[in-house]
Amino acid sequence: MAQSFDTRYPSVDDLREKARKRIPRFAFEYLDGGCNEDVNIRRNTSEIRDIQLKPIYIKDFKGASIKTTLFGQEYDAPFGVAPVGLQGLMWPNSPEILAKAANKHNVPFILSTVTTMDIERASELTEGKAWFQLYNPAEDAVRNDILDRAAAAGCPVLVLLCDVPTFGYRPRDFKNGLALPPKMTMANILQILGKPNWALQTLRHGIPTFETLRPYTPEGLNLKQLGKFMDKTFSGRLNEERIKPIRDKWKGKLVLKGVASEEDTEQAIRLGFDGIIVSNHGGRQLDAGESTIAPLTRIAAKYKDQITVMMDSGMRSGPDMARSLARGAEFTFMGRSFMYGAAAMGKKGGDHTMTILKVQLQQILDQLCCENIHDLHKHLI
Ligand SMILES: Cc1cc2nc3c(=O)[nH]c(=O)nc-3n(C[C@H](O)[C@H](O)[C@H](O)COP(=O)(O)O)c2cc1C
């Protein structure tokens, strides 16, 4: 471990606790929460942790490597930063912090359509390696322009989201005035006053806005009008007719994110996607759904040879990743873990979180006596 490693936060759980103390409650609850009764979000992690791995000690062990290749690109670890909307609300400048850290650690960073940094800046910070996640725009002209910008920025992978047919039902966000259109309540103002560090940083960086969407957003909208505009501009519902022009136009790799069924996997294969991210949006959409590890296991077993199968939702540590990789995920992504890091530690948070995750993953491979992530399945019990 490097000398500069901050031993106050040796795990993502520690970062989460620090984030809780450091940012206003409405921002923390927006990041941390699931939906409805929070059943799905709890299952995501607990069912991953039900998986047990066995060590195999007596062998000629040549050392373990966590490096891997995905879509022809070598990465230093089998994890990346999942797209998260409104990142600047949780910690100012957090998309920049995470993009820079991803570049330093040589892991992929996915930029959300609705976050507070634009495609061009993400590309600049990652030397053209950032992936872009597209919410399906209702208007073809907006969609085509965003695709042209992503291509011009050199983005190698486009991630199309399918698991937000409508916004999730998130009781805490309603109470905190964070549903669309958002409103500033007296309670929120008091929470901000209680977190002066966050408030000062936010003042320094300015009110977060949807940077990638700036060219399509009329000037001077109030919050209510902005909510209506977003609703009209983006329809999360996807069908073959909406997907085909995207596949035809996008020359890079195309990934479908939010897959939770064999049915959608088969559609993804048929419609020419290069990969899928098995995901339930971190438990933020369908509380009655399965945890991600359940469909991941079935889908990887059946379709791994036909399409690249990746996964997110519920992982917070090296052992969590190792278990998911052992069950057949080729690559993993995390959303909240990195945002807890940025919210807890500001500028140093991305680097620190990635260091923890790399060290933990390396450590579990060493413990198992497993030489690379592709052999993890041999350690499944
Ligand atoms: C606060 C928050 C905002 C999110 N916004 C987006 C988004 O804009 N686009 C998207 O594709 N996924 C979004 N997601 C889902 C993440 O990409 C990812 O699927 C999820 O966070 C994985 O679960 P984990 O947080 O347990 O790692 C969001 C997740 C969180 C927690």
Side-chain angles (χ1 to χ4, degrees):
M1 198 78 86
Q3 284 233 306
S4 57
F5 184 77
D6 192 331
T7 50
R8 286 175 301 170
Y9 314 113
S11 71
V12 168
D13 285 347
D14 294 309
L15 292 168
R16 176 175 179 264
E17 272 320 297
K18 179 66 183 174
R20 183 205 294 283
K21 293 185 188 128
R22 199 158 178 244
I23 66 177
R25 200 181 75 209
F26 66 84
F28 182 78
E29 291 188 341
Y30 171 68
L31 168 62
D32 194 63
C35 62
N36 297 86
E37 287 77 42
D38 282 340
V39 174
N40 196 225
I41 184 177
R42 283 197 295 270
R43 267 199 193 127
N44 274 343
T45 305
S46 74
E47 291 189 12
I48 290 172
R49 291 184 178 172
D50 283 342
I51 298 168
Q52 297 173 21
L53 302 174
K54 63 181 176 193
I56 303 172
Y57 294 126
I58 310 302
K59 62 158 100 153
D60 185 15
F61 179 67
K62 297 190 180 63
S65 164
I66 59 170
K67 287 193 174 161
T68 190
T69 300
L70 179 67
F71 298 135
Q73 170 83 36
E74 190 179 48
Y75 291 110
D76 283 1
F79 65 78
V81 182
V84 168
L86 269 175
Q87 284 162 302
L89 174 83
M90 293 164 270
W91 188 260
N93 237 17
S94 52
E96 282 86 352
I97 292 169
L98 298 184
K100 277 188 199 161
N103 200 40
K104 176 177 169 197
H105 284 265
N106 188 28
V107 295
F109 169 84
I110 313 182
L111 186 82
S112 160
T113 307
V114 292
T115 194
T116 50
M117 174 167 80
D118 64 24
I119 305 176
E120 290 76 12
R121 178 88 176 122
S123 168
E124 190 187 316
L125 293 173
T126 59
E127 300 171 80
K129 286 185 286 193
W131 300 15
F132 181 71
Q133 172 263 319
L134 183 70
Y135 266 102
N136 176 36
E139 273 180 49
D140 293 355
V142 171
R143 177 196 66 209
N144 289 344
D145 196 58
I146 293 179
L147 292 182
D148 286 341
R149 286 171 60 198
C155 169
V157 183
L158 183 78
V159 177
L160 185 60
L161 185 73
C162 67
D163 64 7
V164 185
T166 65
F167 285 112
Y169 192 91
R170 303 183 190 139
R172 277 171 302 253
D173 291 353
F174 284 123
K175 285 190 199 160
N176 292 330
L178 276 187
L180 279 177
K183 55 178 184 293
M184 200 33 81
T185 62
M186 185 46 80
N188 292 353
I189 293 168
L190 289 174
Q191 288 165 27
I192 292 173
L193 292 176
K195 308 290 173 192
N197 204 342
W198 181 94
L200 272 176
Q201 293 293 332
T202 300
L203 273 179
R204 244 188 77 204
H205 291 281
I207 299 295
T209 52
F210 300 120
E211 291 297 328
T212 293
L213 302 178
R214 209 185 260 264
Y216 324 110
T217 316
E219 291 277 326
L221 294 188
N222 64 31
L223 288 178
K224 193 165 177 189
Q225 290 161 333
L226 181 66
K228 279 210 175 118
F229 169 79
M230 293 296 283
D231 259 354
K232 199 174 100 227
T233 309
F234 292 97
S235 149
R237 286 190 193 276
L238 279 181
N239 56 26
E240 191 164 338
E241 196 191 325
R242 303 295 306 165
I243 292 171
K244 272 192 168 156
I246 297 176
R247 178 66 286 187
D248 287 346
K249 188 170 169 59
W250 183 254
K251 301 298 170 229
K253 299 290 181 192
L254 188 63
V255 166
L256 188 63
K257 173 174 185 279
V259 173
S261 67
E262 286 84 338
E263 287 86 340
D264 284 337
T265 307
E266 286 179 11
Q267 289 282 36
I269 295 168
R270 197 174 62 80
L271 293 169
F273 284 87
D274 301 284
I276 54 171
I277 302 180
V278 179
S279 164
N280 56 30
H281 216 98
R284 292 165 79 80
Q285 289 296 122
L286 179 68
D287 210 29
E290 285 183 289
S291 74
T292 34
I293 197 71
L296 178 276
T297 308
R298 300 193 304 266
I299 288 169
K302 200 160 165 199
Y303 302 103
K304 211 176 158 93
D305 296 337
Q306 297 172 62
I307 194 160
T308 299
V309 179
M310 299 161 279
M311 168 182 159
D312 75 24
S313 300
M315 288 168 278
R316 304 281 181 268
S317 70
D320 292 345
M321 274 186 276
R323 292 168 167 118
S324 306
L325 295 163
R327 279 285 186 85
E330 208 160 302
F331 206 88
T332 63
F333 288 92
M334 281 160 278
R336 295 184 185 84
S337 300
F338 299 112
M339 286 306 303
Y340 293 141
M345 297 178 75
K347 260 203 301 235
K348 295 184 179 160
D351 184 19
H352 182 81
T353 314
M354 287 175 199
T355 302
I356 294 177
L357 292 168
K358 276 181 166 174
V359 169
Q360 289 182 341
L361 185 62
Q362 178 74 43
Q363 212 262 349
I364 189 161
L365 261 76
D366 286 335
Q367 288 286 348
L368 292 167
C369 302
C370 175
E371 287 185 5
N372 65 72
I373 61 159
H374 306 290
D375 285 343
L376 276 166
H377 66 99
K378 297 177 187 166
H379 296 264
L380 271 176
I381 292 176

